[in-house]
């Protein structure tokens, strides 16, 4: 299910003294099966943009097309759209409110008109998918850790089996183990065929996971390319207030000191290979 955004502009509180232009003439297209990272400084419009993709916000001007159809056309169902384009909000765990984890994850699929058995199958499948042990399902969400709660929130959206999964900072505020756990689950869902759009502040994460990055700055789409294409423009990345992955800066420093290494490197494995090549050594076999 391709998503296309054409000349999207969004202005909050238009015409009032608190008017804020959050998105300016943004255009892009996302195809089936992509894993796209959406990055940009705080206030650059990331959350505003993703809420347009499932019809929670309406463009001030411009269009959002899903399967080639404008989602705001007459006869289009926003309810159906939201089943196909699932959005996990930032701090989604704050929206966990049912008595048990099971009931909470069931909330979305129950609105799809499925039988109770199908709903429960979906709940259990989604729980497995996000790595929630089955014995937690009948506990109160309020007994869970922060990382587990975040998983409950993601499972609630995954249980709707959306074709496109959008997550706003799903790993923010979690400890490294929690963050790696959640990100590898998201990676698995992508491998299973979902299109994923990941909003993140963590450049290491997006460089490692995403095939493509969209970069917003002050409401404008200022870059659209692979992590390598985006982060090798390190000066530009710094200028808009982002920080490329540490390995990018490391390779630059080595080069400044006369090492003949590539600087378009975005992850640790590549950096290791390149450094060993420069040293004339074989790469060790890493487990
Ligand atoms: N509900 C709102 N009302 C008014 N202005 C908003 C609202 N939400 C966001 N904004 C403004 O829109 C801009 C983009 O915000 P946002 O989309 O939340 O950015 P990000 O997610 O990248 O931090 C900011 O200037 C922000 O202050
Ligand atoms: Mg945001």
């Amino acid at each position: 299910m391709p998503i296309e955004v054409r000349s999207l502009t969004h202005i909050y509180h238009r015409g009032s003294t608190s008017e804020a232009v959050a998105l300016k003439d943004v255009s892009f297209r996302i195809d089936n099966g992509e894993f796209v990272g959406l990055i940009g400084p705080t206030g650059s419009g990331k959350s505003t943009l993703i809420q347009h993709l499932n019809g929670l916000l309406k463009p001030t001007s411009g269009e959002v097309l899903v399967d080639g159809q404008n989602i705001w056309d007459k006869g289009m169902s926003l309810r159906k759209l939201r089943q196909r384009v699932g959005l996990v909000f930032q701090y989604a765990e704050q929206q966990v409110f049912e008595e048990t984890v099971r009931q909470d994850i069931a909330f979305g699929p129950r609105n799809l008109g499925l039988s109770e058995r199908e709903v429960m199958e979906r709940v259990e499948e989604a729980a497995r998918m996000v790595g929630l042990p089955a014995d937690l399902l009948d506990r109160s969400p309020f007994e869970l850790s922060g990382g587990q709660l975040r998983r409950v929130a993601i499972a609630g959206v995954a249980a709707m089996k959306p074709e496109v999964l959008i997550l706003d900072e799903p790993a923010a505020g979690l400890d490294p183990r929690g963050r790696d756990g959640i990100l590898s689950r998201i990676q698995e869902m992508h491998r299973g065929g979902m299109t994923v759009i990941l909003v993140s502040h963590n450049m290491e994460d997006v460089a490692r996971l995403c095939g493509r990055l969209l970069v917003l700055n002050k409401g404008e789409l200022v870059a659209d390319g692979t992590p390598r294409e985006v982060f090798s423009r390190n000066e530009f990345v710094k200028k808009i207030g982002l920080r490329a992955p540490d390995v990018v800066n490391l390779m630059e420093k080595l080069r400044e000191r006369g090492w003949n290494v590539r600087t378009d490197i975005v992850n640790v494995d590549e950096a290791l290979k390149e450094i060993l090549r420069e040293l004339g050594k074989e790469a060790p076999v890493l487990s």
Side-chain angles (χ1 to χ4, degrees):
M1 186 177 76
I3 294 184
E4 198 176 342
V5 166
R6 287 193 194 151
S7 300
L8 172 58
T9 292
H10 190 85
I11 305 174
Y12 286 107
H13 310 301
R14 200 178 184 187
S16 83
T17 49
S18 56
E19 179 170 299
V21 182
L23 293 172
K24 266 183 256 173
D25 198 24
V26 171
S27 299
F28 59 85
R29 178 192 158 93
I30 294 176
D31 281 310
N32 289 346
E34 284 197 78
F35 194 149
V36 176
L38 178 59
I39 60 176
T42 303
S44 57
K46 304 180 296 293
S47 297
T48 303
L49 176 57
I50 57 174
Q51 289 176 74
H52 280 85
L53 304 184
N54 77 342
L56 284 174
L57 288 176
K58 194 170 181 180
T60 305
S61 64
E63 295 174 337
V64 177
L65 297 102
V66 165
D67 278 339
Q69 277 217 299
N70 187 329
I71 63 170
W72 292 97
D73 274 355
K74 273 213 185 82
M76 290 287 281
S77 156
L78 289 176
R79 201 176 139 253
K80 284 208 177 106
L81 173 69
R82 288 177 196 146
Q83 291 162 13
R84 301 177 68 194
V85 182
L87 176 58
V88 182
F89 286 93
Q90 194 165 7
Y91 304 114
E93 68 272 22
Q94 291 166 1
Q95 288 154 34
V96 166
F97 52 84
E98 296 281 340
E99 244 167 70
T100 64
V101 170
R102 185 186 297 280
Q103 293 310 319
D104 209 282
I105 301 174
F107 184 82
R110 204 160 263 156
N111 288 323
L112 298 179
L114 305 168
S115 72
E116 189 57 22
R117 213 182 105 218
E118 285 171 305
V119 169
M120 282 308 134
E121 278 171 12
R122 288 225 186 172
V123 168
E124 282 162 28
E125 188 186 347
R128 265 198 308 279
M129 216 150 57
V130 301
L132 274 176
D135 62 306
L136 290 186
L137 284 176
D138 295 306
R139 301 259 287 273
S140 157
F142 301 101
E143 294 169 29
L144 306 190
S145 71
Q148 287 169 331
L149 262 183
R150 196 73 63 86
R151 286 172 196 234
V152 173
I154 297 172
V157 175
M160 315 258 291
K161 297 200 184 204
E163 293 159 59
V164 181
L165 180 65
I166 308 175
L167 307 110
D168 199 348
E169 296 278 0
L174 300 181
D175 59 30
R177 232 178 93 206
R179 109 176 272 119
D180 286 350
I182 284 202
L183 293 173
S184 49
R185 295 309 170 146
I186 293 168
Q187 200 171 21
E188 280 166 27
M189 287 191 258
H190 172 249
R191 289 193 182 124
M194 264 183 207
T195 305
V196 178
I197 304 173
L198 174 69
V199 176
S200 177
H201 269 103
N202 188 306
M203 301 299 128
E204 262 79 19
D205 289 346
V206 293
R208 185 166 55 85
L209 297 168
C210 303
R212 175 180 173 200
L213 300 179
L214 297 176
V215 187
L216 283 177
N217 188 38
K218 298 185 177 138
E220 289 181 84
L221 185 64
V222 291
D224 176 355
T226 63
R228 196 188 303 288
E229 284 163 351
V230 170
F231 291 130
S232 57
R233 296 169 63 197
N234 202 4
E235 278 313 306
F236 159 80
V237 169
K238 276 186 205 153
K239 209 177 100 200
I240 64 174
L242 296 176
R243 193 170 181 284
D246 280 340
V247 285
V248 173
N249 296 305
L250 171 69
M251 299 313 271
E252 267 184 12
K253 289 220 164 89
L254 288 174
R255 216 178 154 88
E256 278 164 23
R257 296 189 183 180
W259 286 45
N260 184 24
V261 289
R262 282 166 45 201
T263 53
D264 63 342
I265 273 169
V266 295
N267 66 56
V268 172
D269 289 344
E270 285 179 353
L272 176 66
K273 250 198 191 150
E274 186 65 1
I275 290 170
L276 289 169
R277 188 199 50 72
E278 171 71 358
L279 289 171
K281 292 188 176 164
E282 287 280 309
V285 180
L286 299 176
S287 58

